[in-house]
Amino acid sequence: DAGVTQSPTHLIKTRGQQVTLRCSPKSGHDTVSWYQQALGQGPQFIFQYYEEEERQRGNFPDRFSGHQFPNYSSELNVNALLLGDSALYLCASSLVLVSYEQFFGPGTRLTVL
Amino acid sequence: AQSVTQLDSHVSVSEGTPVLLRCNYSSSYSPSLFWYVQHPNKGLQLLLKYTSAATLVKGINGFEAEFKKSETSFHLTKPSAHMSDAAEYFCVVTERGRDDKIIFGKGTRLHILP
């Protein structure tokens, strides 16, 4: 079992650009959640996807959007990047009926210059 | 709405001595509580979870936590610290059956002194 995988590992972008991060869930899981972890902070919930739809969302602007594919993998898109978007982006997968039990990937480190 | 407070941002203990990481929570409904560990440049690993069964929960690597409803606490303990325990620890609360939103504490950095 490969667990949750994320790509890329690191990414450097400039202000105003757009970025796409990818996540493959743990085998058998159907729900994917995304978190932003700023340096020295705990992860902040961005949104969760199930059955290719956004199931719930945290307090993040519309610049943050996502997608879930039929194979349950997911993408996080961020438009019009700001310096403050620099963070570790974590993906977590779960089963919808026990969506509070999440397995995390290693994260993607995004740096915005 | 639920919330979680980790009372110490940094904790230092000597190797071989007990570890105590404190966590208080707020929840209007039946909470589920978790502790995660994050080693440098690694993802989050689940240490243990409380989901309304036994109040004393045993996790991996010798860690355990006790759910105390009267004190709204879920402190993490370990009898004897090891150098490999040095990491960031997060207390997490969610309300099962509600919106299932997961709230992380700000984290406690555990330092192990030789």
Side-chain angles (χ1 to χ4, degrees):
Chain A
D1 184 1
V4 180
T5 59
Q6 293 186 243
S7 63
T9 306
H10 296 85
L11 205 51
I12 299 175
K13 293 285 188 179
T14 56
R15 280 179 297 175
Q17 285 190 311
Q18 178 265 341
V19 69
T20 297
L21 310 181
R22 295 177 176 81
C23 171
S24 291
K26 181 179 170 66
S27 178
H29 284 183
D30 54 14
T31 303
V32 173
S33 303
W34 286 93
Y35 294 82
Q36 180 194 67
Q37 185 179 16
L39 201 60
Q41 300 294 317
Q44 299 285 318
F45 174 74
I46 303 175
F47 43 54
Q48 183 180 85
Y49 276 83
Y50 170 67
E51 289 191 336
E52 303 179 47
E53 293 199 358
E54 186 180 290
R55 184 167 175 247
Q56 53 181 302
R57 188 181 182 93
N59 295 323
F60 279 80
D62 292 344
R63 298 186 297 109
F64 289 77
S65 63
H67 189 77
Q68 186 180 35
F69 299 93
N71 67 353
Y72 306 116
S73 66
S74 176
E75 288 182 350
L76 164 65
N77 300 291
V78 187
N79 295 321
L81 284 167
L82 304 173
L83 295 179
D85 295 332
S86 294
L88 180 68
Y89 288 84
L90 296 164
C91 170
S93 74
S94 56
L95 290 168
V96 67
L97 293 180
V98 280
S99 60
Y100 52 87
E101 291 195 27
Q102 303 195 342
F103 292 78
F104 285 82
T108 293
R109 173 73 64 186
L110 172 65
T111 301
V112 182
L113 303 176
Chain B
Q2 68 269 40
S3 66
V4 61
T5 302
Q6 292 184 242
L7 298 168
D8 306 292
S9 59
H10 292 266
V11 169
S12 294
V13 302
S14 297
E15 190 175 20
T17 65
V19 175
L20 170 63
L21 305 184
R22 298 182 295 166
C23 172
N24 286 107
Y25 71 92
S26 172
S27 176
S28 303
Y29 298 91
S30 299
S32 287
L33 293 155
F34 306 80
W35 276 98
Y36 283 87
V37 61
Q38 187 175 37
H39 290 275
N41 301 316
K42 295 284 182 68
L44 289 156
Q45 182 184 18
L46 179 66
L47 276 178
L48 49 79
K49 63 183 179 186
Y50 165 78
T51 55
S52 80
T55 56
L56 181 61
V57 181
K58 294 187 184 298
I60 62 171
N61 301 334
F63 284 95
E64 61 181 41
E66 186 171 7
F67 173 71
K68 292 187 176 180
K69 187 175 181 179
S70 61
E71 299 177 10
T72 61
S73 69
F74 190 59
H75 301 333
L76 181 70
T77 61
K78 181 173 181 178
S80 176
H82 191 273
M83 293 300 290
S84 61
D85 294 328
E88 188 88 18
Y89 291 80
F90 293 96
C91 183
V92 177
V93 66
T94 187
E95 292 178 339
R96 290 171 296 121
R98 298 287 295 172
D99 56 16
D100 283 344
K101 281 186 180 175
I102 294 178
I103 307 298
F104 278 76
K106 292 188 176 182
T108 298
R109 171 73 64 178
L110 177 61
H111 304 271
I112 310 297
L113 307 172

